[in-house]
Amino acid sequence: MRRILVVGISGAGKSTLAAALSRRLAVPHHEMDALYFTGPRWGVNETFVRDTARLAERDAWIFDSLGYRAVRDLLWERADTIVWLDHPRRVVMWRVLRRSLRRTVRRERVFGGNVEGWLGWLQADHPVWWAWSRYAARRAEIARRAADPRFAPLHVVRLRSQAEATAWLRDLERPDTA
């Protein structure tokens, strides 16, 4: 496991698990949204595809995303492991609601210095609405990709609960003990 994609819907815990994996395996973690959103008013990084391709050429990495469309196939072709956080909708929705509410109330700065504002909650692409409306489609896409021969031989780890994710992470061998 040296090139790892941590995938799932918004709120599944991708960034949290990817950061923990990074510490555990001593592999660099790249937060996909931080690479993509680099400017004010959710401005998109003009060199996103080039930047992501450069990082994906390295021997070891962890990305916390299925991948934006422009880089999705590239990442899936170069990955050796997919860690799929396939939590139930109720878990995902609780997490994304709690996270977005905290970010909005506290005016927390996120990618590119942006802030989730109250008006954003009315937008269809707000994380809460996106997670609700895209839950089934995202699960289906990940399942399809995981079975697609173009991406073989990927090792797919499908974690269906936080308890499974915690146990899997705990049981991973550290590189210096393998």
Side-chain angles (χ1 to χ4, degrees):
M1 264 193 333
R2 301 296 295 159
R3 292 179 171 184
I4 305 163
L5 284 176
V6 179
V7 302
I9 193 73
S10 294
K14 298 180 301 293
S15 297
T16 301
L17 182 66
L21 266 176
S22 176
R23 290 187 300 273
R24 180 90 177 172
L25 301 176
V27 171
H29 165 221
H30 307 287
E31 196 168 7
M32 186 64 68
D33 286 338
L35 288 168
Y36 189 75
F37 296 110
T38 56
R41 293 186 301 280
W42 302 97
V44 175
N45 178 1
E46 292 178 8
T47 61
F48 170 71
V49 172
R50 186 172 49 239
D51 294 348
T52 304
R54 181 180 44 78
L55 293 169
E57 288 174 6
R58 296 181 180 168
D59 291 333
W61 44 258
I62 300 169
F63 283 97
D64 58 0
S65 176
L66 174 67
Y68 286 93
R69 285 198 191 283
V71 297
R72 192 169 295 162
D73 285 349
L74 167 81
L75 292 173
W76 279 72
E77 289 165 358
R78 294 191 179 166
D80 60 35
T81 305
I82 301 297
V83 179
W84 179 6
L85 295 177
D86 188 21
H87 299 319
R89 185 189 297 244
R90 70 183 181 283
V91 171
V92 168
M93 291 311 301
W94 169 246
R95 287 178 174 183
V96 75
L97 274 164
R98 188 178 63 207
R99 181 187 71 191
S100 285
L101 188 59
R102 185 196 73 234
R103 286 178 176 175
T104 303
V105 168
R106 294 183 182 172
R107 309 279 302 148
E108 292 178 14
R109 297 224 174 264
V110 292
F111 324 109
N114 291 287
V115 174
E116 283 188 37
W118 292 110
L119 287 178
W121 284 72
L122 303 174
Q123 304 295 318
D125 64 349
H126 185 275
V128 171
W129 304 123
W130 197 91
W132 178 260
S133 66
R134 300 292 302 156
Y135 180 84
R138 178 54 50 104
R139 288 182 79 221
E141 180 175 4
I142 293 168
R144 182 183 54 75
R145 285 180 163 275
D148 190 324
R150 290 182 303 153
F151 307 122
L154 276 173
H155 174 63
V156 178
V157 177
R158 189 172 182 178
L159 304 169
R160 297 174 194 256
S161 70
Q162 187 57 51
E164 280 185 21
T166 300
W168 177 78
L169 184 63
R170 181 192 62 234
D171 294 343
L172 276 180
E173 289 188 22
R174 291 183 182 272
D176 55 349
T177 61

